[in-house]
Amino acid sequence: PNEFTFATVLTSCSGPQSIHQVKQVHSLVAKTNFESHMFVGSSLLDMYAKAGNIQEARRVFDMLPERDTVSCTAIISGYAQLGLDDEALDLFRQLYSAGMQCNYVTFTTLLTSLSGLASLDYGKQVHGLILRKELPFFVVLQNSLIDMYSKCGKLLYSRRVFDHMPQRSTISWNAMLMGYGRHGIGHEVVQLFRTMTEEVKPDSVTLLAVLSGCSHGGLVDEGLDIFDLIVKEQNAVLSIGHYGCVIDLLGRSGRLQKALDLIQDMPFEPTPAIWGSLLGACRVHVNVSVGEVVAQKLLDMEPGNAGNYVILSNIYAAAGMWKDVFRVRNLMLEKTVTKEPGQSWIILDKVIHTFRSSDRFHPRKKDIDAKIKEIYVDIKAAGFVPNLSCVLHDVDDEQKERMLLGHSEKLAVTFGLMNTPPGLTIRVMKNLRICVDCHNFAKFVSKIYGREISLRDKNRFHLLTDGACTCGDYW
DNA sequence: ATAGGGTTAG
């Protein structure tokens, strides 16, 4: 075998199951001294990264005698594809200052990481680099820009990029549709979808984007009509994700029994995500009877997921059934439940400030504590009532109130309010979905202080202006 | 003539 053979064979060893094959080929590569060949090395490190072994990928990269655009892009992409966005950005900055040459693939990769970080500042800066390079037109690169701006909360810029494209792929349309959906702008989703179908054929991702956009944008009837049409025409492959969107739609409109029926009739086994969406709907519409059925399924399927207990308890609390709230809390104490630790961050002047719940170690803790107390007095005077059912710990109400005030998104919003001038949108990101109490807190802050707040949670953007949110209080 | 990196997703 020569370098051509190895580079070709390695490309076929893709995916997490292939790690064994990659290692076998790697040993042959090492024996025949092709490890430091540029093409073979790039392919090798790429395969390690795609199989999830980023350490080994990095080792191969570090051993390359020279580096070129492709090998640098491959290792950055390795971090990016594993969601290690900080690491991808750091490595890019190192390699770039060391003189790395970038092409459109490098930028496409880098933009993916900036989307993950939701860093508008870095995103704009990289867009600037791209413009200065005066690259020819590449659809993929423009698609990444659309996605980056949408995930950084600047939908207007996404649309500007989209409008200026001389050619568009299905992915361009899909990225734009997803963007509107992520921001809860349902009517733009439907309008753009209609324009799209005049020009290109939608694929299954398009339909996912449209259904999810209708759901998040509150366009219940439009979404159901579109779904009926898709089912009737039968020219698209429907996945469980499509059904998930429609179940979410039915749940949003309060048609919980219809949602249950669809779960029974659909050609897929319901996943925890499907039940979870319905449980969320039961919380919004305070439906105890369906909620109990759904919660039982979920607690059987994933007994260790704390979130399900919290929502069930929220439903009981909203219905005033305090004995049941207590029962769920005890149930939770009996099981070993785990919860991904919540964290929120805000980027000010290109510095990422991260907050964790009841953060005791933040250097500005004293200032933040003082400011949050001041805010609390103001918003309570305006009618804010803390939602104590968001706390499941067995503590008294006063302690619950203190715990709620420690939530990471409140700390980040407060920090933003302290450190940005009036008129500027406060942009906060969170790794989990936002809790009801924090959502309400942000609403009051937007109203009392006249500040727009953009809150990106795990699923979508909440844009809070003058006491109202683009999610319509359903998320 | 033949080889390595890339975009959308309840």
Side-chain angles (χ1 to χ4, degrees):
Chain A
N2 63 9
E3 65 272 34
F4 286 77
T5 328
F6 285 127
T8 312
V9 167
L10 279 165
T11 316
S12 69
C13 307
S14 195
Q17 313 89 335
S18 68
I19 191 77
H20 186 63
Q21 295 169 348
V22 176
K23 280 183 180 161
Q24 284 190 301
V25 181
H26 188 180
S27 62
L28 258 173
V29 167
K31 263 191 251 174
T32 44
N33 290 322
F34 283 113
E35 203 179 15
S36 53
H37 185 276
M38 193 75 89
F39 280 38
V40 178
S42 318
S43 188
L44 193 55
L45 77 87
D46 185 52
M47 288 307 115
Y48 272 118
K50 286 199 166 81
N53 190 343
I54 192 69
Q55 289 82 14
E56 190 58 21
R58 182 59 182 267
R59 205 188 61 79
V60 174
F61 177 75
D62 287 339
M63 280 185 38
L64 285 175
E66 297 167 88
R67 292 162 177 179
D68 68 354
T69 304
V70 175
S71 53
C72 290
T73 306
I75 187 68
I76 293 170
S77 154
Y79 286 103
Q81 282 170 8
L82 290 170
L84 302 167
D85 298 315
D86 272 324
E87 289 84 346
L89 175 59
D90 274 354
L91 184 58
F92 169 79
R93 295 176 74 183
Q94 280 174 39
L95 296 173
Y96 188 74
S97 10
M100 161 194 186
Q101 289 301 306
C102 302
N103 65 11
Y104 80 101
V105 183
T106 322
F107 289 127
T108 303
T109 301
L110 182 59
L111 285 169
T112 312
S113 279
L114 299 178
S115 301
L117 287 171
S119 166
L120 184 58
D121 282 348
Y122 277 114
K124 280 184 183 168
Q125 204 177 349
V126 169
H127 192 182
L129 281 179
I130 293 167
L131 292 174
R132 259 172 278 158
K133 270 235 155 202
E134 298 187 65
L135 299 169
F137 173 78
F138 293 105
V139 180
V140 262
L141 179 55
Q142 302 294 314
N143 291 350
S144 296
L145 279 170
I146 294 174
D147 190 55
M148 181 276 290
Y149 277 124
S150 137
K151 286 183 177 156
C152 291
K154 268 285 179 187
L155 209 51
L156 221 60
Y157 290 1
S158 295
R159 186 56 193 252
R160 206 175 288 171
V161 173
F162 179 83
D163 284 340
H164 281 91
M165 289 168 76
Q167 284 125 38
R168 303 185 186 102
S169 65
T170 305
I171 292 178
S172 324
W173 293 90
N174 291 355
M176 198 66 234
L177 288 168
M178 286 285 174
Y180 283 125
R182 192 175 288 123
H183 286 81
I185 311 177
H187 64 273
E188 287 285 359
V189 173
V190 173
Q191 200 179 321
L192 194 70
F193 176 59
R194 301 212 189 288
T195 318
M196 175 184 182
T197 47
E198 287 163 17
E199 293 182 30
V200 267
K201 195 175 171 302
D203 64 8
S204 69
V205 178
T206 314
L207 300 179
L208 212 52
V210 173
L211 292 172
S212 142
C214 285
S215 183
H216 286 289
L219 299 183
V220 177
D221 295 326
E222 288 89 336
L224 293 176
D225 287 348
I226 291 171
F227 183 67
D228 285 342
L229 208 68
I230 297 167
V231 172
K232 240 180 247 155
E233 289 181 353
Q234 286 193 323
N235 56 7
V237 182
L238 291 180
S239 70
I240 190 162
H242 296 93
Y243 282 92
C245 292
V246 181
I247 289 158
D248 204 51
L249 264 164
L250 289 167
R252 158 185 286 277
S253 66
R255 284 169 252 186
L256 299 168
Q257 190 54 50
K258 280 223 163 96
L260 266 180
D261 294 344
L262 183 57
I263 293 181
Q264 299 293 327
D265 295 343
M266 70 179 182
F268 298 96
E269 278 304 304
T271 58
I274 298 270
W275 292 120
S277 143
L278 195 51
L279 189 64
C282 291
R283 188 205 62 185
V284 174
H285 295 286
V286 196
N287 187 320
V288 176
S289 58
V290 179
E292 283 178 330
V293 175
V294 174
Q296 198 51 57
K297 302 262 186 204
L298 266 174
L299 298 189
D300 289 344
M301 286 171 101
E302 32 176 45
N305 184 337
N308 300 326
Y309 296 87
V310 176
I311 299 175
L312 178 59
S313 147
N314 285 163
I315 296 173
Y316 284 134
M321 299 165 67
W322 301 107
K323 269 190 188 155
D324 292 290
V325 172
F326 190 72
R327 188 172 54 79
V328 174
R329 190 177 63 208
N330 284 336
L331 202 62
M332 195 170 163
L333 291 175
E334 284 167 25
K335 316 267 174 190
T336 27
V337 298
T338 52
K339 186 174 164 293
E340 191 185 340
Q343 57 176 44
S344 302
W345 64 99
I346 183 167
I347 306 175
L348 300 172
D349 214 13
K350 297 202 178 71
V351 179
I352 304 176
H353 301 264
T354 306
F355 297 88
R356 286 170 195 84
S357 189
S358 304
D359 212 325
R360 275 169 296 176
F361 304 108
H362 198 275
R364 302 265 317 262
K365 183 186 173 341
K366 269 198 170 159
D367 296 347
I368 298 169
D369 277 356
K371 183 69 183 175
I372 206 165
K373 277 184 187 141
E374 183 191 315
I375 295 173
Y376 203 46
V377 171
D378 288 351
I379 63 176
K380 270 191 140 178
F384 175 83
V385 181
N387 189 332
L388 301 185
S389 73
C390 291
V391 183
L392 275 191
H393 298 272
D394 190 12
V395 292
D396 62 36
D397 285 359
E398 207 177 305
Q399 177 70 11
K400 281 185 185 171
E401 240 182 293
R402 262 203 302 280
M403 291 179 83
L404 282 175
L405 272 185
H407 280 190
S408 64
E409 53 268 55
K410 291 198 185 80
L411 302 179
V413 166
T414 302
F415 194 70
L417 199 60
M418 289 161 63
N419 292 293
T420 55
L424 207 73
T425 302
I426 299 171
R427 296 179 187 279
V428 167
M429 278 71 78
K430 184 172 183 194
N431 64 336
L432 308 175
R433 297 178 73 177
I434 187 170
C435 93
V436 177
D437 190 68
C438 288
H439 192 257
N440 205 20
F441 175 91
K443 275 191 192 171
F444 273 85
V445 169
S446 77
K447 189 174 173 69
I448 305 303
Y449 300 99
R451 291 292 290 269
E452 204 173 64
I453 299 171
S454 161
L455 230 162
R456 195 224 59 177
D457 73 9
K458 193 168 191 171
N459 274 0
R460 56 165 295 154
F461 276 92
H462 299 261
L463 188 64
L464 299 121
T465 320
D466 201 24
C469 182
T470 48
C471 77
D473 297 337
Y474 186 107
W475 68 93

